[in-house]
Amino acid sequence: MKKILIYSTIVLLIFSSCKNNNELKTENVVKDSVKVSKSEYSVSGTLWYQTSAEAKALYIQSYNLATFMLDKNIKIKSKKRKAVITDIDETLLDNSPMNARLAKIGELYTDEAWENWVKQGKAKALPGALEFFNYCKKKGVEVFYLSNRSIASQDITMKNLLNEGFPYVDIQHMYLKEKSSDKTARRDSILKNYEVILYLGDNLRDFSEDYGQRGDDYGAAVVNDTKNLFGTKFIVFPNPMYGEWEKAIYKNDYSKSDEEKAKLRKEALQDNY
Ligand SMILES: [Mg+2]
């Protein structure tokens, strides 16, 4: 009888401790994930970007498609000279070492961390990029670099691009950010004098502001409405580390607290089955 009583007490204790643990886990899952490391969630995307052969294949696939479409679109009749407009970061230069460093030390992106990385001018060309842009040059198609890197970083950015072997790296072909991250005005000023036959970017805002403010569908409808442009005029590259997609999860507001953002990320996971 005594043995049974001791056994029951142990079972009860184990059960209640499990129950408490489970309750604790459920209640504090968001708080704990922020406490462990506020950038822990970014580890997976950064690892995929840096180590997966699939990421490399996707860059090559996108640049192969860009080459195919360049040969096709170059035949468009126009009195203007032909050009392509390209984004820089995570489209043709790889800045993932900065994201990797931040993820390792448990920190998140800051403008200061970004500027410190940029001023080193160490970003490497992404797979397929040099071949494609030098093919543009060979075909007489000019390349415009339309990027939201700050205008203050123009010299080091040009040095970085030149060191990597990109063509058309001169002031006339650089359109960096002076005030607004909206690229429309800069894009329009290129379009005045050029027939732009392709756009390349890892963020849909590289193509149009229509992909900017995303609602509850995270921009799915506007992508569907413009589906004929993807792969024909717009060439998209993969970026699971950061971008407009993440901003949409935070209801287009990066100023929310780390805890609030962690909560919104969990809420955005679609587990209806
Ligand atoms: Mg980019």
Side-chain angles (χ1 to χ4, degrees), residues 39-51:
S39 65
E40 190 61 27
Y41 78 94
S42 71
V43 170
S44 175
T46 308
L47 280 174
W48 183 86
Y49 193 83
Q50 291 196 318
T51 68

Side-chain angles (χ1 to χ4, degrees), residues 88-90 93-96 98-99 102 109-120 123 147-150 153 157 242:
I88 294 179
D89 299 309
E90 279 52 73
L93 284 184
D94 177 2
N95 304 289
S96 65
M98 183 203 72
N99 295 80
L102 290 172
Y109 173 95
T110 61
D111 289 345
E112 194 189 357
W114 172 248
E115 294 302 336
N116 281 338
W117 159 257
V118 166
K119 75 181 180 194
Q120 294 178 51
S147 161
N148 280 339
R149 283 188 171 212
S150 71
S153 68
T157 297
Y242 66 90

Side-chain angles (χ1 to χ4, degrees), residues 12-41:
L12 255 169
L13 274 172
I14 291 170
F15 177 74
S16 68
S17 121
C18 282
K19 197 178 168 229
N20 285 342
N21 275 344
N22 283 339
E23 276 172 4
L24 210 66
K25 272 183 191 167
T26 317
E27 282 169 16
N28 293 331
V29 68
V30 171
K31 271 188 183 168
D32 284 353
S33 66
V34 174
K35 205 167 25 176
V36 169
S37 159
K38 60 185 176 184
S39 65
E40 190 61 27
Y41 78 94

Side-chain angles (χ1 to χ4, degrees), residues 87-91 183 201-203 206 239 242:
D87 171 53
I88 294 179
D89 299 309
E90 279 52 73
T91 294
K183 294 181 169 180
D202 65 301
N203 186 327
D206 294 329
N239 184 355
Y242 66 90

